[in-house]
Amino acid sequence: MTNTPPALRLAQITPDNVHAACELRVRPNQERFVAPVERSLAEAYAAGPDIAWPRLVMDGDEAVGFVMGGFDPDAGIDAFRCGIWRLNVSAEHQGRGYGRFAVRAVAEEARRRGQNRLTVMWLPGEGGPEGFYTGLGFRPTGEFMGDQVIGEMFLG
């Protein structure tokens, strides 16, 4: 998908759409690479609204994905200062540009907040998201958080 359809947008998680968010499922072979949305929402609640930025990826009225940015300029761990904490695109909607749209939207929010570097972490392995992230311009930093690769992208 080279152009963003006019109906594509991010939506704040609300009581009206939280169920749709929790129903999103990646492909079974991808489940080991990303936490389910309900876990992400629990982590967002614990982190607080000034740090966690969970959003539904909407195509018209249909929830097609979930992305959570994290913005904590004072975090003790550099990778947690400005990054993508989660990205889930439902199995039936993958390959249509929704993930790319979500990453760009988080990058736009980061710029709006005055940030110039966006991080992401991924678990390496066959079927994992490394190719997706590097294809968007993220580069491994050479650092790891546990067994996850830390990637970074500088925002122009």
Side-chain angles (χ1 to χ4, degrees), residues 120 122 130 133-142 149-153:
V120 68
W122 64 81
E130 181 171 12
Y133 287 123
T134 58
L136 289 176
F138 285 93
R139 296 292 169 246
T141 64
V149 174
I150 298 174
E152 66 183 357
M153 175 194 309

Side-chain angles (χ1 to χ4, degrees), residues 11 27 29 37 51 71 75 81 85 94 102 117 126-128 148 156:
R27 295 180 182 141
N29 67 327
V37 173
I51 295 173
F71 303 101
R81 292 184 184 152
W85 287 359
Q94 291 182 15
R117 178 180 178 254
E126 187 176 334
Q148 295 186 70

